[in-house]
């Protein structure tokens, strides 16, 4: 697959919006706690992602990375702390001293501006590639069908799938499906993209084509939070890296520090195993 | 890439002969032929009467009513079923329990008993009121007789409400068969729960629901024959029964009924296969071909649009 063309994945208006918010954090987590029954999965997580930055979450399985990602777009409700996206509290409204749960409709509105890419792709199997990409713009944002179709054609072209517009997901390879999934999320013109182990379910030789798209997206200036085991990706495009274990962030900082000169023993141990 | 060796000749082996199978099949066919012969040639079947009644108005009108009832009852049943299934899966415990109670009652009692119960509902409740219960406020009221005298209404109530209970379980099974990741993907795209149900979950659930609903429809067609017990000629079998009760042409008229039921169920089976193919979109085997066709259609449409735009431009420049 040819590498995506710079600037092709994000439209100028979205980028301009993001540039305006530089200085205000895109994601801000303050002492976020989450438990499933008696199991505390997140135990006081703090971090900040600035606009146009790529933030990579590393760490062993069960460390809480995916849960944290799912809390950002409120697929999971947090039990304590505060989580803000673009300055807006996720899933709750603060009135006086009380937090009010948001209506499903308002949560949906918040989520519409946050794209998410899943480990298992989760494409809609009863819709073709282009229908997958058009679905949410047409049904949620009420974009005229003609315009949504053109945008979908352009986006799928950007990720190298011009020849697969009318193909159902079942006829696509894993790498192709994941690229459709990225295009589907981008079609909503999100201000933030979340990636939940996007290459973990792929054959090794298909990982590169998905990473290429993600790297280009990062370079184009999309704000991204990425859970991954791809160290190369973290080294190449991450602005910030955090190591999560046991429901807390063990260490965070720029990739040069964390990946090359970690201070914490836990980070050193993890890196020695991953990079071995 | 190293060149592959040329394809060798396929193996030509003499297949194993299954003599036992041939003998077994011959015996079964022989016995079946004997059974069929004794049926076709039996003087008790009285084929002239069969042919006569097959196209009599009394049969054909009955058949039309049977089909009409089947459709109406299935629509009532399917609509009720979707509603009950959504109630059952609802977070609201009251709704969930009400649906469970409904299904418990209508699946737990025989449909034959339910038919007779609905026919006699006027004895249980002599009047129906529209108003606010416990307050004495009544907007309108009617004698049960007006309802129960219309046997079509009784039939639809009995079979439709019964079907809803079964359909609810089928729809629920279809909904929970949809991968949880689909819901996550839909919500992450900002879809509201209703939109997600309508555009993502139900269309996929349909793939599971349609074959079973087809079976339910075929079953409903045959179940209408139970309505013979309330009389009134609301469906075909009851009408034929009324005839043979007087003429004693029992076997010929039963054969007439069987022939028509078989014809209609065969047609329904064909329709079901079509519907399955439609809702199986994205899961079929010939998808690659179909994708090429769709692409060809899209490109020709786009080409036509450009051509049109160019012609308009030419016209303007002139």
């Amino acid at each position: 697959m040819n590498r995506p063309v710079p600037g092709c994945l994000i439209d100028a208006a979205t980028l301009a919006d993001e540039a305006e918010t530089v200085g205000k954090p895109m994601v801000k987590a303050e002492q976020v706690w989450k438990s499933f029954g008696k199991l505390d999965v997140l135990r006081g997580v703090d971090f900040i992602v600035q606009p146009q930055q790529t933030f990579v979450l590393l760490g062993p399985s069960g460390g809480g990375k995916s849960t944290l990602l799912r809390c950002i777009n409120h697929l999971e409700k947090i039990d304590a702390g505060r989580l803000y996206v673009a300055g807006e509290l996720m899933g709750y409204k603060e009135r006086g001293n009380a937090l009010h749960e948001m209506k499903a409709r308002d949560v949906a509105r918040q989520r519409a501006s946050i794209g998410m890419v899943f480990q298992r792709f989760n494409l809609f199997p009863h819709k073709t590639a282009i229908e997958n990409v058009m679905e949410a713009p047409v049904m949620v944002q009420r974009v005229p069908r003609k315009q949504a179709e053109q945008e979908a054609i352009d986006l799928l072209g950007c990720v190298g799938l011009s020849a697969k517009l009318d193909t159902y997901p079942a006829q696509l390879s894993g790498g192709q499906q994941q690229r459709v999934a990225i295009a589907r999320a981008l079609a909503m013109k999100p201000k933030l993209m979340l990636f939940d182990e996007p290459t973990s379910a792929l054959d090794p030789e298909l990982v590169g084509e998905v990473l290429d798209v993600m790297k280009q997206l990062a370079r184009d200036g999309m704000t991204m939070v990425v859970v991954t085991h791809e160290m190369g990706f973290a080294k190449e495009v991450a602005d910030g890296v955090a190591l999560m274990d046991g429901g807390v962030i063990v260490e965070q900082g720029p990739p040069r520090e964390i990946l090359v000169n970690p201070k914490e023993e836990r980070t050193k141990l993890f890196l020695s195993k991953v990079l071995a | 890439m190293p060149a592959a060796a040329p394809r060798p000749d396929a193996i030509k082996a003499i297949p194993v002969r299954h003599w036992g199978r041939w003998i077994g099949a011959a015996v079964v066919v022989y016995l079946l032929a004997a059974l069929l012969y004794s049926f076709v040639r039996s003087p008790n079947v009285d084929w002239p009467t069969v042919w006569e009644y097959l196209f009599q108005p009394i049969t054909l009108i009955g058949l039309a009513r049977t089909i009409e009832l089947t459709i109406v009852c299935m629509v009532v049943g399917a609509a009720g079923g979707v509603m009950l299934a959504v109630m059952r899966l609802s977070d609201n415990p009251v709704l969930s329990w009400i649906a469970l109670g409904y299904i418990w009652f209508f699946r737990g009692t025989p449909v034959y008993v339910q038919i007779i119960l609905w026919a006699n509902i006027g004895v249980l409740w002599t009047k129906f009121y529209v108003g606010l219960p416990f307050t004495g406020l009544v907007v309108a009221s009617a004698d049960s007789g007006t309802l129960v005298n219309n046997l079509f209404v009784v039939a639809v109530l009995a079979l439709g409400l019964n079907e809803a209970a079964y359909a609810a379980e089928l729809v629920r099974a279809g909904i929970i068969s949809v991968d949880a990741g689909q819901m996550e993907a839909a919500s992450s795209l900002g879809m509201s729960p209703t939109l997600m149900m309508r555009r993502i979950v139900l269309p996929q659930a349909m793939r599971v629901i349609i074959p079973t609903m087809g079976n339910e429809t075929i079953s409903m067609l045959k179940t209408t024959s139970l309505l013979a017990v309330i009389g009134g000629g609301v469906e075909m079998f009851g009408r034929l029964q009324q005839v043979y009760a007087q003429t004693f042409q029992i076997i010929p008229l039963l054969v007439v009924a069987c022939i028509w039921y078989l014809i209609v169920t065969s047609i329904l089976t064909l329709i079901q296969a079509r519907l399955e193919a439609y809702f199986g979109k994205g899961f079929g085997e010939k998808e690659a071909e179909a994708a090429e066709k769709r692409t060809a259609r899209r490109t020709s449409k786009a080409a036509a649009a450009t051509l049109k735009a160019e012609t308009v431009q030419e016209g303007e420049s002139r």
Side-chain angles (χ1 to χ4, degrees):
Chain A
M1 171 207 157
N2 296 328
R3 300 246 162 131
V5 183
C8 161
L9 294 161
I10 318 180
D11 71 344
T14 317
L15 212 55
D17 283 352
E18 291 221 4
E20 251 174 50
T21 55
V22 169
K24 295 173 221 157
M26 182 62 82
V27 184
K28 189 164 107 188
E30 292 172 352
Q31 282 299 304
V32 170
W33 283 72
K34 170 74 193 173
S35 50
F36 294 111
K38 280 182 189 158
L39 184 70
D40 290 326
V41 184
L42 298 178
R43 301 183 298 136
V45 175
D46 290 288
F47 73 97
I48 283 177
V49 183
Q50 298 295 348
Q52 310 205 337
Q53 293 209 328
T54 298
F55 190 78
V56 171
L57 290 166
L58 300 173
S61 313
K65 305 176 305 274
S66 290
T67 306
L68 179 58
L69 204 64
R70 295 157 58 81
C71 286
I72 294 178
N73 69 351
H74 207 59
L75 279 181
E76 303 287 355
K77 276 185 188 171
I78 60 174
D79 294 320
R82 294 285 189 276
L83 225 166
Y84 302 89
V85 173
E88 235 184 289
L89 191 59
M90 285 304 291
Y92 300 94
K93 269 185 200 138
E94 207 157 16
R95 254 186 259 128
N97 280 331
L99 278 190
H100 298 260
E101 270 186 22
M102 262 188 195
K103 284 182 192 151
R105 186 165 19 104
D106 295 325
V107 177
R109 183 187 51 76
Q110 285 190 325
R111 285 194 190 121
S113 60
I114 304 174
M116 188 163 194
V117 174
F118 301 87
Q119 182 177 356
R120 310 255 8 150
F121 328 133
N122 295 348
L123 289 181
F124 305 133
H126 59 305
K127 295 183 180 295
T128 60
I130 190 167
E131 286 169 351
N132 263 280
V133 178
M134 289 168 62
E135 177 68 17
V138 171
M139 298 309 296
V140 177
Q141 292 177 327
R142 302 269 162 217
V143 174
R145 187 162 275 279
K146 267 267 161 69
Q147 184 192 336
E149 186 176 1
Q150 192 52 54
E151 285 173 1
I153 292 173
D154 293 345
L155 266 174
L156 285 168
C158 285
V159 297
L161 291 172
S162 291
K164 299 286 181 189
L165 297 181
D166 300 294
T167 308
Y168 283 104
Q171 265 63 47
L172 295 172
S173 74
Q176 290 170 337
Q177 288 191 53
Q178 195 61 299
R179 283 185 277 147
V180 175
I182 294 174
R184 175 176 72 175
L186 289 175
M188 292 293 281
K189 306 201 167 75
K191 50 191 173 201
L192 169 68
M193 285 283 286
L194 309 174
F195 292 85
D196 188 4
E197 300 201 26
T199 57
S200 298
L202 295 176
D203 287 343
E205 59 178 323
L206 301 179
V207 169
E209 63 190 55
V210 171
L211 286 182
D212 280 345
V213 172
M214 291 171 59
K215 285 175 192 168
Q216 192 55 57
L217 196 56
R219 291 194 191 106
D220 284 354
M222 174 58 75
T223 317
M224 295 164 57
V225 181
V226 184
V227 172
T228 187
H229 297 296
E230 296 292 333
M231 290 299 164
F233 177 82
K235 254 183 212 158
E236 212 174 313
V237 295
D239 300 290
V241 173
L243 183 101
M244 279 194 81
D245 190 21
V248 291
I249 291 183
V250 177
E251 190 172 1
Q252 59 180 324
R256 260 165 287 113
E257 283 173 25
I258 305 294
L259 300 178
V260 184
N261 285 317
K263 293 189 186 72
E264 302 290 331
E265 279 307 311
R266 184 67 191 90
T267 317
K268 286 177 192 166
L269 184 70
F270 177 76
L271 290 175
S272 71
K273 282 185 179 162
V274 178
L275 298 172
Chain B
M1 220 204 280
R7 181 199 287 272
D9 289 339
I11 292 171
K12 283 196 196 87
I14 293 140
V16 178
R17 306 283 176 204
H18 298 280
W19 299 115
R21 275 186 210 170
W22 283 101
I23 295 166
V27 170
V28 172
V29 168
Y30 174 68
L31 290 177
L32 264 180
L35 183 68
L36 202 64
Y37 180 82
S38 78
F39 172 72
V40 171
R41 297 305 299 267
S42 163
N44 297 330
V45 174
D46 187 8
W47 289 101
T49 310
V50 171
W51 291 124
E52 188 196 330
Y53 274 99
L54 202 53
F55 300 106
Q56 283 271 320
I58 191 161
T59 317
L60 293 182
I61 291 171
L63 179 68
R65 290 238 172 134
T66 290
I67 293 171
E68 187 189 355
L69 257 180
T70 306
I71 294 169
V72 174
C73 291
M74 280 313 288
V75 168
V76 170
V82 171
M83 207 172 77
L84 285 167
V86 172
M87 281 169 75
R88 235 345 222 114
L89 295 168
S90 151
D91 290 332
N92 184 332
V94 177
L95 291 184
S96 179
W97 278 96
I98 288 174
L100 196 66
Y102 181 100
I103 294 166
W104 170 77
F105 178 80
F106 281 93
R107 284 208 311 180
T109 52
V111 65
Y112 190 70
V113 175
Q114 287 173 28
I115 291 168
I116 299 173
L117 187 66
W118 279 109
N120 291 291
I121 202 80
V123 182
L124 178 58
W125 289 300
T126 49
K127 258 177 172 288
F128 286 111
Y129 301 96
V130 179
L132 271 183
F134 305 118
T135 62
L137 179 74
V138 173
V139 180
S141 69
D143 282 333
S144 319
T146 52
L147 172 78
V148 180
N149 288 345
N150 187 340
L151 288 174
F152 186 81
V153 174
V154 169
V156 170
L157 282 174
L159 297 187
L161 296 187
N162 179 267
E163 179 58 32
Y166 286 89
E169 290 299 273
L170 298 179
V171 174
R172 190 173 71 97
I175 289 175
I176 54 184
S177 77
V178 176
D179 181 37
Q182 294 291 307
M183 271 77 110
E184 289 185 353
S187 5
S188 80
L189 286 165
M191 290 194 179
S192 67
T194 341
L195 188 63
M196 173 164 76
M197 190 51 101
R198 187 162 65 82
R199 298 283 303 178
I200 306 300
V201 178
L202 280 181
Q204 290 184 62
M206 283 308 221
R207 204 167 63 88
V208 178
I209 296 170
I210 285 296
T212 36
M213 277 308 233
N215 288 342
E216 288 291 303
T217 310
I218 289 170
S219 167
M220 174 65 79
L221 180 88
K222 295 177 295 175
T223 308
T224 55
S225 65
L226 291 180
L227 293 167
V229 70
I230 59 171
V234 285
E235 50 69 56
M236 178 178 70
F237 183 63
R239 290 169 151 246
L240 292 175
Q241 217 180 28
Q242 282 165 5
V243 175
Y244 72 60
Q246 288 167 12
T247 64
F248 301 109
Q249 295 160 316
I250 299 174
I251 295 295
L253 290 192
L254 288 180
V255 171
V256 167
C258 286
I259 290 174
W260 276 120
Y261 283 125
L262 281 171
I263 290 173
V264 181
T265 49
S266 305
I267 294 170
L268 287 177
T269 311
L270 290 178
I271 296 174
Q272 186 187 355
R274 282 290 184 84
L275 282 175
E276 275 179 39
Y278 176 78
F279 283 103
K281 268 191 308 187
F283 295 91
E285 285 159 7
K286 292 184 180 163
E287 289 298 347
E289 247 172 73
E292 269 169 37
K293 264 186 214 154
R294 283 189 296 273
T295 311
R297 223 178 301 141
R298 176 192 306 287
T299 359
S300 70
K301 234 179 27 195
T306 4
L307 194 70
K308 204 172 154 198
E310 276 169 11
T311 339
V312 171
Q313 267 184 354
E314 267 175 38
E316 279 169 358
S317 63
R318 232 173 254 164

